[in-house]
Amino acid sequence: MTYPATFLWGASTAPHQVEGNNVNSDWWAREGLMPGMEPSGDADDSYHRYREDIRLLAEAGLDSYRFGIEWARIEPRPGQFSRAELAHYRRMIDTCAEFGVTPVVTLHHFSSPRWFADEGGWLAEHATERFASYVTEATTILDGVEWVVTINEPNQMAMMIMLQEAMRTGSLDEWLSPTVQSEGDRTRIAASLPVPTPEFGLPFVAAHHAVRDIVRERTGAKVGWTVANGALTSTPGNEEKFREVLYNLEDLYLEAARGDDFIGVQSYSSQAVDANGLVPHPDHPDNTLVGTAYRPDALGMAVRHAAEVTGLPVLVTENGIATADDERRIQYTREALAHLESAIDDGIDVRGYLHWSLLDNYEWGHWGPTFGLIAVDRITFVRTPKPSLAWLGDVATAARSRTLEGRVR
């Protein structure tokens, strides 16, 4: 199909997952305390090698890179802002411009300063004030940035906080990572992950609403946040439970996006809801490395639902598959894009597709699941582009070519 001329084609990363040595963050502290969690360590050393990463993305034919600014680096102590770290992220923005890449900047992607967590994190009285202070400082380097994400997957963050509270009160024995890589973990976590109730989600809504106008007024960028979209479906007779789960897990956050400039959709698979709530993904040979079902059709479902609830343009900020088979990655992405095109044909306003992830990276406690378009040697940090990177770049190049041909005609 012919995509809009301004359609973004790219890939995404998160700072804690690729930069390495994020020593002031709450996630770094958690890695050293929780059994079964691998350390992030040097990660992909993208903190020093971001130029190469952006160059590889651009040379493949992609034109957009979503990356995060790490709060724990910018504000290592309350009220103490690092000019050097702000300058580092400005250099990343400038490097994108050098290679003709549109930056999509995320201000918070799961990890926070350790001091913020010690104060009580997102449930603390002054959480919104703390976040707004950081965002105000971050806007000083965002001149020329067109797309800003305030918070990544607040619904997943709410779930994590709910789990942390369960640990604090003794109703949960150990921290559960958002990703898994073993059959035992999959079974245990599928039975244990809660659907976050609004009390854990509303602090994020307040924080998002507090900063979106700050970003708009100080940068002129389009502002939104991203939601983990489960492409949920109801089992027969359980529509009431389905609506309850859907609201608590997604629609609370989608409704909070009304008034934003776009909604970020992050989709990987689909999941059913029965009388007890979310149904664990059944075991199947096609399941991904994190245990989810192979469901490329989920992207179209998620985009349609997010657009319907918010009334906003959609930016696909994450979509991908955890697999060691790169041909499988290409097949999944090809099918997902077909479903995305169907949604666009039906009138959904989609502004771009950003694949997760540019690099094989640290998946929140585990190194096993590989989502990347580029493999990274964890000893030498040598980057090896996979065939899927060239394939997606060719898709993007062909789409832009068709747009140009249409203009000539």
Side-chain angles (χ1 to χ4, degrees), residues 349-385:
D349 183 359
V350 181
R351 302 295 177 89
Y353 174 85
L354 308 179
H355 191 86
W356 184 269
S357 172
L358 179 63
L359 308 169
D360 286 341
N361 58 30
Y362 179 72
E363 283 296 330
W364 306 110
H366 304 288
W367 282 100
T370 48
F371 285 88
L373 300 169
I374 300 172
V376 180
D377 186 302
R378 290 183 52 222
I379 303 299
T380 65
F381 305 111
V382 168
R383 271 75 167 136
T384 304

Side-chain angles (χ1 to χ4, degrees), residues 108 122 151 154 157-158 161 200-209 225 253:
H108 188 279
W122 294 99
I151 301 173
M157 290 281 291
I161 291 176
F200 295 101
L202 290 175
F204 295 101
V205 173
H208 172 63
H209 288 171
W225 68 356
Y253 308 89

Side-chain angles (χ1 to χ4, degrees), residues 5 9 37 66 74 112 140 142 147 173 176 203 333 381:
W9 291 96
M37 287 186 70
R66 176 183 171 224
I74 288 179
S112 301
T140 62
L142 298 182
W147 300 84
D173 291 335
L176 303 178
T333 309
F381 305 111

Side-chain angles (χ1 to χ4, degrees), residues 162-310:
M162 194 169 180
L163 290 170
Q164 289 168 357
E165 285 297 294
M167 283 187 61
R168 187 181 64 81
T169 59
S171 57
L172 184 68
D173 291 335
E174 60 181 285
W175 166 256
L176 303 178
S177 170
T179 59
V180 297
Q181 65 182 72
S182 72
E183 291 295 327
D185 274 351
R186 185 188 310 162
T187 301
R188 175 174 59 84
I189 291 176
S192 303
L193 286 180
V195 173
T197 53
E199 66 182 290
F200 295 101
L202 290 175
F204 295 101
V205 173
H208 172 63
H209 288 171
V211 303
R212 68 180 170 191
D213 285 341
I214 293 174
V215 175
R216 278 181 180 146
E217 292 168 4
R218 294 174 64 89
T219 70
K222 293 181 279 291
V223 185
W225 68 356
T226 72
V227 173
N229 302 95
L232 303 180
T233 59
S234 177
T235 51
N238 295 304
E239 288 76 15
E240 184 175 349
K241 185 65 173 179
F242 167 74
R243 286 190 293 271
E244 173 194 325
V245 170
L246 183 63
Y247 178 79
N248 286 340
L249 199 56
E250 290 185 23
D251 286 1
L252 168 66
Y253 308 89
L254 294 175
E255 291 175 7
R258 294 169 183 165
D260 291 359
D261 300 303
F262 68 92
I263 181 65
V265 167
Q266 310 205 157
S267 170
Y268 295 87
S269 186
S270 177
Q271 204 162 354
V273 176
D274 64 12
N276 298 312
L278 289 174
V279 178
H281 295 280
D283 287 331
H284 192 279
D286 281 343
N287 282 4
T288 73
L289 290 176
V290 293
T292 54
Y294 180 88
R295 291 290 302 273
D297 60 322
L299 179 59
M301 297 164 64
V303 162
R304 291 172 191 272
H305 180 69
E308 178 184 4
V309 175
T310 65

